[in-house]
Amino acid sequence: QLEGRLTDETLPRSVASDGKFIPSNIRWWCSGFYPGSLWYIYEYTGDKTFRELAEKNTFKLYPLKQKGTDHDLGFQMNCSFGNAYRITGEQKYLEPIHTSARVLAGRFSPVTGVIRSWDFVRKGRDWKYPVIIDNMMNLELLMWAADRSGDKSLRDMAVSHADKTLKHHFRPDFSSCHLVSYDTISGQPHLKQTHQGLSDSSAWSRGQAWGLYGYTCMYRLTGDARYLEQARGIAGFLINHRNMPADGIPYWDFDAPALASTPRDASAAAIMASALVELSGFVPAAEGERYMAFAEKQIRTLASPEYTAPAGENGGFILRHSTGAYPFSSEVDVPLTYADYYYLEALTRIKRRLQP
């Protein structure tokens, strides 16, 4: 259903409140999630039809390997070309990964020690060098390319970014602010704000999930115990939060009113579940069982009729009830392509754990 609505230069994005399908161009930050979803479906099923679709949609993104205008290359290239190489081992997927990693590295500043997220400045804000918590998700591209190319500088940048983010983004309770702006002269933070959360001091749900996933991933890639402890702290904050609904699907912001009318974010739940499945394998057995149990609750909720749409509905997307950017009234209570991606990833990771 989705495939029939696409051109050679478009990918799925969402569905409007009136049911109209919304595509994205290849430069939209979430363009890598649809080909990545197809790769996960192929990995899960072995159906060659999905491999062909995955390959076709992956190569739509080939021109992005030179895109240096924001930090989203990790989302775009690692989810598509990265999964393609991981699953097939075919050499044709390597060059775009390596090229895009070097382009992403061009956004790193040795003064701040982090990768700049955006070049734009929101009206009324005084951002000098903005870095958002989402940027943790792009470090795997650098680490992957460093390990296979021998370019240690890429690894050093990823580690520096993770270290600075750990130091400056997080509060004592392991919650994270959304955006830190660094002074370009001193290299130190001068603002801590939000762009998508309820307030500068709130815990925007998807941002917390990005942090959990990012530090779990960085522990896998480095073995650095600090990253494992950070991931465990974030997991505890999320699982035990007073406003975490009983079904495990968070409100769009943990500080939003805990009301039936407050939008949930299925995408945050899917990201969190995928991270918890991986994290469960890095900790003592009893702790790992708690993480797996919570992830299973989230997955079972997402798989229920409340969140999983019947075939042929929901514009062809799997999950309903995600929230993109609530403060801008953008993509509220709609399907989102990255919700489907991390849901499929979580299912694939669970299958690997149960059938190693």
Side-chain angles (χ1 to χ4, degrees), residues 138-194:
N138 298 304
L139 303 185
E140 188 171 11
L141 177 66
L142 296 181
M143 296 291 291
W144 195 97
D147 289 345
R148 287 159 181 80
S149 69
D151 185 350
K152 184 177 178 294
S153 69
L154 298 177
R155 183 183 182 91
D156 291 344
M157 291 176 197
V159 168
S160 175
H161 185 101
D163 289 350
K164 294 287 186 179
T165 300
L166 191 155
K167 180 178 180 180
H168 297 305
H169 265 78
F170 287 89
R171 307 172 183 123
D173 64 357
F174 289 98
S175 68
S176 168
C177 64
H178 181 206
L179 180 148
V180 173
S181 179
Y182 291 80
D183 181 85
T184 56
I185 305 301
S186 70
Q188 296 301 306
H190 72 101
L191 286 176
K192 294 187 178 184
Q193 298 180 327
T194 192

Side-chain angles (χ1 to χ4, degrees), residues 56-346:
K56 180 179 78 170
N57 284 279
T58 292
F59 275 99
K60 287 181 183 179
L61 306 186
Y62 186 80
L64 293 183
K65 67 178 185 175
Q66 298 285 3
K67 179 180 74 76
T69 53
D70 57 49
H71 69 149
D72 290 318
L73 276 173
F75 283 125
Q76 293 165 320
M77 303 301 282
N78 202 44
C79 294
S80 56
F81 286 92
N83 274 316
Y85 181 76
R86 178 182 62 80
I87 292 169
T88 70
E90 294 185 2
Q91 298 295 302
K92 63 185 178 182
Y93 298 112
L94 283 177
E95 184 271 327
I97 298 173
H98 290 305
T99 299
S100 60
R102 289 191 291 270
V103 171
L104 178 61
R107 297 187 64 79
F108 179 86
S109 164
V111 176
T112 61
V114 286
I115 298 163
R116 184 178 183 130
S117 292
W118 298 325
D119 291 339
F120 74 89
V121 176
R122 181 175 167 182
K123 186 177 180 180
R125 302 295 180 97
D126 184 30
W127 300 342
K128 292 181 171 60
Y129 193 97
V131 178
I132 58 175
I133 189 64
D134 319 38
N135 209 342
M136 285 295 301
M137 302 293 288
N138 298 304
L139 303 185
E140 188 171 11
L141 177 66
L142 296 181
M143 296 291 291
W144 195 97
D147 289 345
R148 287 159 181 80
S149 69
D151 185 350
K152 184 177 178 294
S153 69
L154 298 177
R155 183 183 182 91
D156 291 344
M157 291 176 197
V159 168
S160 175
H161 185 101
D163 289 350
K164 294 287 186 179
T165 300
L166 191 155
K167 180 178 180 180
H168 297 305
H169 265 78
F170 287 89
R171 307 172 183 123
D173 64 357
F174 289 98
S175 68
S176 168
C177 64
H178 181 206
L179 180 148
V180 173
S181 179
Y182 291 80
D183 181 85
T184 56
I185 305 301
S186 70
Q188 296 301 306
H190 72 101
L191 286 176
K192 294 187 178 184
Q193 298 180 327
T194 192
H195 184 61
Q196 290 178 249
L198 180 70
S199 71
D200 292 344
S201 61
S202 73
W204 173 52
S205 296
R206 194 163 67 250
Q208 311 313 303
W210 291 142
L212 173 65
Y213 190 112
Y215 282 99
T216 300
C217 175
M218 284 300 287
Y219 174 70
R220 165 170 43 89
L221 296 171
T222 67
D224 190 324
R226 294 175 305 133
Y227 299 154
L228 177 60
E229 291 309 303
Q230 188 71 11
R232 295 167 81 179
I234 300 168
F237 170 82
L238 294 173
I239 291 172
N240 300 314
H241 198 282
R242 66 188 183 281
N243 284 343
M244 173 64 82
D247 62 6
I249 313 301
Y251 300 105
W252 72 276
D253 191 296
F254 278 98
D255 293 286
L259 303 172
S261 59
T262 301
R264 303 286 192 95
D265 187 3
S267 74
I271 297 159
M272 182 179 170
S274 183
L276 286 174
V277 173
E278 180 167 52
L279 182 60
S280 70
F282 299 147
V283 296
E287 184 180 352
E289 288 171 4
R290 291 196 297 273
Y291 295 155
M292 281 295 289
F294 199 88
E296 181 179 346
K297 176 169 68 174
Q298 291 179 308
I299 291 298
R300 289 188 180 278
T301 302
L302 293 174
S304 72
E306 175 70 16
Y307 284 89
T308 293
E313 298 183 12
N314 203 38
F317 293 85
I318 301 170
L319 296 179
R320 298 184 283 209
H321 307 313
S322 288
T323 299
Y326 184 85
F328 302 99
S329 300
S330 174
E331 299 177 334
V332 177
D333 194 24
V334 295
L336 292 172
T337 184
Y338 45 94
D340 286 1
Y341 174 86
Y342 288 104
Y343 176 62
L344 291 167
E345 182 180 77

